[in-house]
């Protein structure tokens, strides 16, 4: 039976980064314990909570790939991802409690347990406790190695914190570290991006994620870029063409160092691809716990309320505050297959999709292939590796 992934959301941060469009907040540390207790309660009681919230009625996990028993029999779990927010802010005992609740509730061996961490929160005592709790992968929010960029972005850490934290993690026994970089931060130049890439490569992480700055109303920097102003250095944000160039520099440098580019934003040393995140792109089932956490059963998607206080109050009251709940139509499932599948550099097998969905897709990609945006090989279609920085054009075209 295919194993599911579990995502745990910790929506707390020390400050709010200027580019951040996540539902995270800066709260008193006294709110951590009740939150963790609520998450453990949700994990242990999820079957009853979901049933009461009306989730799972569509059958879920149907189709040959999934167990027919979902959701009222426990699926086995093999990956856990504790994200946020800044979950490394929590006392490690809280992380241990949540992982213990998962082990006590679900079958299966946890093969990949990822913790998102920010460099300034790493201490030897904590790192030792993370490993003892079963965490074997750390996803590190570095974003840049250039202090001027980190300051402008409102990050808490500086380059020196990265050099302090990485040896602590290695000494604690973490053998799988992922680094995040953002292309497009204020004050970033070709030279400073080159510096960040070189310094990242010198630290030899097993996995790298490179994200382009997202520009939308949801962050203070995004709002300033769209609406004007000078407070968050919007005037110093690189152009779209520069961001595309930075992305291509990352592609070239990471490829030359033996990193496998397996998803638009992700590179890994062989064997270190994120097992958990691959489930998202492959449309495999996962459960999310905590405020704002999303879940997918194969036929339904749902999400908890974002507000952490409302979430805690609801779980304490024996209710699950499901804010969004959608039973997928065949059309939306097909769209997901295309959009999520094409994010993976291996591409998608149109023959499989045509068989499963009873549609004809083959001709649909011909204009994109003629424009050099995708490659067709037998029944496989994939984004053209040298045109990935403009992959949005493919997605826009597919939406027509
Ligand atoms: S640390 Fe991450 S989640 Fe928290 S404010 Fe910054 S970008 Fe957002």
């Amino acid at each position: 039976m295919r194993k599911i992934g579990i995502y745990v959301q910790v929506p707390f941060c020390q400050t709010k980064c200027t580019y951040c469009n996540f539902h995270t907040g800066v709260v008193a540390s006294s709110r951590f314990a009740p939150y963790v207790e609520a998450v453990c309660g949700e994990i242990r009681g999820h079957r009853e909570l979901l049933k009461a919230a009306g989730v799972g009625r569509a059958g879920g996990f149907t189709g040959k790939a999934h167990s027919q028993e979902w959701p009222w029999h426990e699926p086995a779990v093999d990956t856990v991802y504790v994200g946020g927010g800044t979950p490394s802010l929590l006392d490690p005992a809280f992380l241990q409690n949540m992982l213990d609740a998962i082990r006590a509730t679900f079958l299966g061996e946890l093969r990949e347990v990822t913790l998102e961490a920010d460099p300034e929160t790493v201490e030897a005592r904590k790192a030792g406790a993370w490993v003892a709790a079963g965490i074997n992968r750390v996803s590190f929010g570095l974003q840049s190695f250039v202090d001027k960029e980190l300051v402008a972005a409102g990050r808490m850490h500086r380059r020196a914190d990265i050099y302090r934290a990485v040896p602590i993690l290695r000494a604690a026994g973490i053998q799988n570290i992922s680094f995040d970089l953002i292309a497009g931060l204020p004050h970033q130049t070709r030279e400073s991006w080159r510096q960040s890439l070189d310094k990242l490569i010198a630290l030899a992480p097993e996995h790298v994620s490179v994200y382009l700055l997202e520009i939308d109303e949801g962050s203070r920097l995004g709002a300033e870029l769209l609406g004007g102003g000078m407070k968050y250095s919007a005037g110093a944000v690189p152009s779209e063409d520069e961001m595309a160039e930075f992305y291509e520099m990352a592609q070239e440098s990471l490829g030359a160092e033996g990193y496998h580019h397996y998803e638009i934003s992700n590179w890994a040393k062989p064997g270190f691809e994120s097992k958990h995140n691959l489930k998202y792109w492959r449309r495999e089932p996962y459960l999310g716990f905590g405020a704002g956490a999303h879940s997918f059963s194969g036929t339904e998607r749902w999400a908890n309320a974002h507000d952490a206080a409302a979430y805690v109050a609801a779980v304490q009251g024996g209710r699950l505050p499901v804010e969004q709940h959608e039973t997928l139509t065949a059309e939306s499932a097909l769209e997901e297959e295309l959009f999520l599948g094409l994010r993976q550099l291996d591409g998608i097998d149109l023959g499989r999709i045509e068989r499963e969905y009873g549609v004809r897709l083959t001709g649909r990609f011909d204009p994109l292939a003629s424009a050099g945006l995708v490659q067709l090989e037998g029944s496989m279609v994939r984004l053209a590796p040298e045109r990935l920085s403009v992959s949005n054009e493919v997605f826009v075209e597919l939406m027509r």
Side-chain angles (χ1 to χ4, degrees):
M1 189 177 95
R2 188 175 288 182
K3 312 261 181 26
I4 70 161
I6 286 184
Y7 178 83
V8 178
Q9 170 70 350
V10 178
F12 308 126
C13 291
Q14 300 186 88
T15 54
K16 191 77 179 168
C17 304
T18 64
Y19 58 84
C20 181
N21 56 6
F22 297 151
H23 292 274
T24 57
V26 180
V27 303
S29 57
S30 58
R31 289 193 34 204
F32 296 169
Y35 182 81
V36 169
E37 211 172 295
V39 171
C40 292
E42 187 194 356
I43 292 169
R44 292 201 167 94
H46 73 280
R47 282 194 295 170
E48 292 72 26
L49 290 166
L50 287 175
K51 205 169 192 173
V55 173
R57 299 225 167 112
F61 286 51
T62 52
K64 57 184 180 310
H66 308 310
S67 159
Q68 300 283 343
E69 297 177 332
W70 170 261
W72 316 127
H73 294 270
E74 299 308 349
V77 174
D78 64 348
T79 64
V80 176
Y81 194 104
V82 186
T86 309
S88 57
L89 262 186
L90 296 184
D91 188 303
F94 289 148
L95 297 169
Q96 171 96 49
N97 291 351
M98 295 191 286
L99 292 171
D100 285 349
I102 291 169
R103 289 192 187 92
T105 307
F106 295 93
L107 303 170
E109 186 193 340
L110 304 184
R111 291 173 58 220
E112 181 187 275
V113 182
T114 302
L115 175 72
E116 278 186 354
D118 283 353
E120 76 282 2
T121 61
V122 174
E123 300 162 13
R125 173 192 69 87
K126 278 183 169 180
W130 294 343
V131 171
I135 289 160
N136 56 13
R137 182 172 186 270
V138 170
S139 176
F140 230 24
L142 306 188
Q143 321 312 359
S144 164
F145 280 78
V146 178
D147 282 353
K148 186 177 180 185
E149 295 168 17
L150 293 168
V151 171
R155 297 290 308 185
M156 287 288 286
H157 74 275
R158 300 292 173 262
R159 178 162 71 191
D161 293 306
I162 302 169
Y163 288 110
R164 187 189 57 78
V166 172
I168 290 176
L169 293 178
R170 294 295 192 200
I174 300 282
Q175 290 169 3
N176 188 353
I177 300 182
S178 181
F179 288 170
D180 289 357
L181 283 184
I182 297 180
L185 291 177
H187 304 297
Q188 211 164 49
T189 61
R190 185 182 299 116
E191 291 68 36
S192 73
W193 179 248
R194 177 82 270 151
Q195 242 190 69
S196 284
L197 283 176
D198 289 349
K199 291 188 181 310
L200 174 143
I201 286 167
L203 284 173
E206 283 70 29
H207 187 278
V208 180
S209 302
V210 176
Y211 300 108
L212 299 190
L213 181 76
E214 281 186 26
I215 298 169
D216 60 38
E217 288 286 346
S219 73
R220 292 170 296 166
L221 176 58
E224 189 170 282
L225 275 159
L226 296 170
M230 308 207 4
K231 197 168 170 195
Y232 301 110
S233 308
V237 168
S239 68
E240 272 185 31
D241 284 350
E242 285 172 306
M243 286 188 220
E245 186 190 343
F246 296 168
Y247 178 87
E248 283 163 10
M249 286 166 69
Q251 251 187 309
E252 193 183 324
S253 301
L254 293 168
E257 292 297 321
Y259 288 90
H260 167 216
H261 194 181
Y262 69 105
E263 196 268 350
I264 288 184
S265 305
N266 290 281
W267 287 256
K269 287 280 165 119
F272 286 94
E273 294 81 6
S274 165
K275 293 178 182 53
H276 183 85
N277 289 340
L278 276 169
K279 291 184 201 283
Y280 299 148
W281 303 313
R282 291 176 176 164
R283 295 188 76 250
E284 293 177 16
Y286 55 88
L287 286 173
F289 297 110
H294 288 243
S295 302
F296 174 56
S297 72
T299 50
E300 288 171 84
R301 291 189 181 276
W302 64 95
N304 289 343
H306 284 105
D307 183 80
Y311 164 82
V312 171
V315 176
Q316 283 172 346
R319 280 183 306 110
L320 187 64
V322 172
E323 204 169 62
Q324 298 162 27
H325 177 209
E326 181 192 9
T327 300
L328 296 179
T329 60
E331 196 182 17
S332 51
L334 173 61
E335 264 180 22
E336 288 185 5
E337 289 273 6
L338 298 178
F339 286 94
L340 295 172
L342 281 174
R343 290 193 64 90
Q344 300 170 72
L345 280 275
D346 283 350
I348 44 182
D349 181 353
L350 293 178
R352 173 187 68 78
I353 295 179
E354 288 185 345
R355 281 193 302 279
E356 282 186 20
Y357 291 85
V359 289
R360 179 126 186 93
L361 291 171
T362 319
R364 193 164 162 189
F365 287 90
D366 289 349
L368 292 167
S370 304
L373 291 169
V374 300
Q375 296 174 340
L376 291 166
E377 196 182 316
S379 66
M380 296 299 292
V381 59
R382 65 179 70 86
L383 294 173
E386 64 284 0
R387 304 294 300 279
L388 286 176
S389 59
V390 292
S391 57
N392 269 348
E393 289 179 27
V394 175
F395 297 125
V396 168
E397 193 57 40
L398 283 176
M399 286 294 281
R400 284 176 200 268

